[in-house]
Amino acid sequence: MVVEDLDRVMEIEHRSFTLPWSREAYAAELTNNHFAKYLVVTLEGEVVGYAGMWVILDEAHITNIAIDPTVRGRRLGEQLMREMMALSMAHGAERMTLEVRVSNVPAQKLYDRLGFQSYGIRKGYYTDNNEDALIMWAELPHAGAAAGME
């Protein structure tokens, strides 16, 4: 992801989340946060999804992931998560974590397929409706096994 992607990222962000991040937050992530790593997925030259994470020491924390609602169901989210996992390993991460709404069963199923397991609940994590978040963790394959992820 580069700053020039932000117009399209913001469109997807607002279509996907009840508590969207601001453009300024994304710009700060891209320009000022050396822990932050962001990727976009494109179809026919247009950004249709994105994901971000922080890689700190040997852990990667997914900050956000979204696919434009008009192109969901094509496994783009899975491809993007696999790329994020590979990128995190390239930066030394051995494990990855994320939070997901307890009501977001499709996302939980995706994370399950990718090897994430539930390790707890963050009560009232989402401030728009006080919904709980499921905390999920995955052990990442060793560098030699990473090539087999694709």
Side-chain angles (χ1 to χ4, degrees):
M1 183 188 296
V2 294
V3 172
E4 291 76 20
D5 294 325
L6 288 182
D7 286 343
R8 188 70 181 112
V9 165
M10 293 313 301
E11 288 176 25
I12 298 166
E13 179 82 3
H14 283 273
R15 289 181 187 161
S16 301
F17 300 112
T18 56
L19 290 172
W21 280 23
S22 69
R23 182 185 186 90
E24 293 76 20
Y26 279 105
E29 286 287 282
L30 294 175
T31 60
N32 295 328
N33 184 348
H34 68 277
F35 297 113
K37 313 291 181 224
Y38 282 79
L39 295 176
V40 295
V41 60
T42 61
L43 282 178
E44 299 174 5
E46 181 177 46
V47 172
V48 295
Y50 57 89
M53 67 181 164
W54 293 353
V55 180
I56 303 172
L57 300 175
D58 62 350
E59 293 183 357
H61 185 148
I62 295 291
T63 56
N64 45 32
I65 180 170
I67 300 294
D68 190 309
T70 64
V71 297
R72 288 184 187 156
R74 299 184 189 185
R75 300 186 83 98
L76 297 172
E78 181 174 343
Q79 292 172 8
L80 187 54
M81 277 298 296
R82 288 184 186 281
E83 290 296 324
M84 294 297 284
M85 293 170 87
L87 180 61
S88 68
M89 288 184 289
H91 285 277
E94 297 176 4
R95 64 197 60 80
M96 181 176 269
T97 187
L98 54 82
E99 291 89 9
V100 59
R101 287 180 185 268
V102 294
S103 64
N104 192 346
V105 175
Q108 291 172 35
K109 286 182 179 179
L110 165 63
Y111 303 139
D112 284 339
R113 276 197 312 274
L114 295 173
F116 284 82
Q117 296 179 354
S118 173
Y119 280 88
I121 297 284
R122 292 196 198 284
K123 293 283 188 192
Y125 184 77
Y126 295 98
T127 58
D128 62 328
N129 64 357
N130 209 38
E131 184 173 358
D132 297 343
L134 189 61
I135 305 164
M136 300 186 83
W137 283 89
E139 294 295 321
L140 298 171
H142 296 289
M149 288 182 60
E150 305 205 80

